[in-house]
Amino acid sequence: MMYLPASHYLTFTLDPDKGRYIVKECEPGFCKVPRELIAEDRRFNDNIDANFILRGPNTEKKEGTGKGGKRKITFFTGLQPTAHTGVYIGNVLTFGRNGSKVQNGVLVRFATDAGRMSLRYFPAYYPYPKERDAFVSTVINRGLL
């Protein structure tokens, strides 16, 4: 049986007027995922290995940029399709102590009408490429997404 690390589960409902997914259910005190998320096609950044992205609405100013300088999105991941219909995998980069980069795994499932989305967030865990299929299947088979 495959080991699964600790994770957090959230559900969202699409607000068609805003074009955003709004949180419906979330564990008390868990605040690593914004309460509103935007799912969209990747348009500009060729460094992202995905055609589809999930991002939060908030940005913060990049260090070392002057007034009106570049901004970065505070919650962002490319979403790669998996062998399971409507299920995508991604990772959200955060920074730990001493500025070390931390990859946080994200599994997302969209309802067939895209009106609902469920998300499972894995703090400080993102499987290696050769382990991803088994990881996703384990999460799905255990009913965790």
Side-chain angles (χ1 to χ4, degrees):
M1 184 167 289
M2 181 175 209
Y3 162 78
L4 287 180
S7 63
H8 302 276
Y9 182 72
L10 299 89
T11 60
F12 294 80
T13 304
L14 181 64
D15 180 334
D17 295 329
K18 283 183 158 184
R20 296 179 177 183
Y21 286 91
I22 310 297
V23 75
K24 184 177 173 187
E25 295 177 57
C26 180
E27 300 168 18
F30 180 67
C31 57
K32 295 287 186 184
V33 176
R35 298 309 177 241
E36 292 186 14
L37 291 174
I38 302 162
E40 61 189 13
D41 290 332
R42 175 187 59 85
R43 288 179 238 166
F44 306 111
N45 192 335
D46 290 334
N47 296 330
I48 300 167
D49 186 22
N51 292 325
F52 194 51
I53 62 170
L54 186 67
R55 67 178 182 87
N58 300 328
T59 61
E60 63 184 31
K61 198 168 167 180
K62 285 187 176 182
E63 286 186 33
T65 58
K67 187 176 181 180
K70 289 196 163 217
R71 302 188 67 78
K72 68 178 181 175
I73 298 168
T74 54
F75 181 93
F76 180 90
T77 182
L79 292 177
Q80 297 177 332
T82 67
H84 300 271
T85 303
V87 177
Y88 296 81
I89 188 169
N91 67 30
V92 175
L93 185 65
T94 57
F95 295 92
R97 293 192 179 127
N98 304 323
S100 61
K101 292 181 180 180
V102 178
Q103 288 189 328
N104 305 281
V106 175
L107 282 180
V108 177
R109 173 180 262 166
F110 292 96
T112 52
D113 67 356
R116 292 176 319 283
M117 174 180 73
S118 54
L119 182 148
R120 190 158 286 277
Y121 184 93
F122 296 88
Y125 179 80
Y126 186 59
Y128 291 110
K130 66 180 182 175
E131 299 170 354
R132 289 184 193 147
D133 290 340
F135 173 74
V136 172
S137 291
T138 300
V139 171
I140 298 294
N141 292 339
R142 290 188 189 175
L144 298 176
L145 187 64

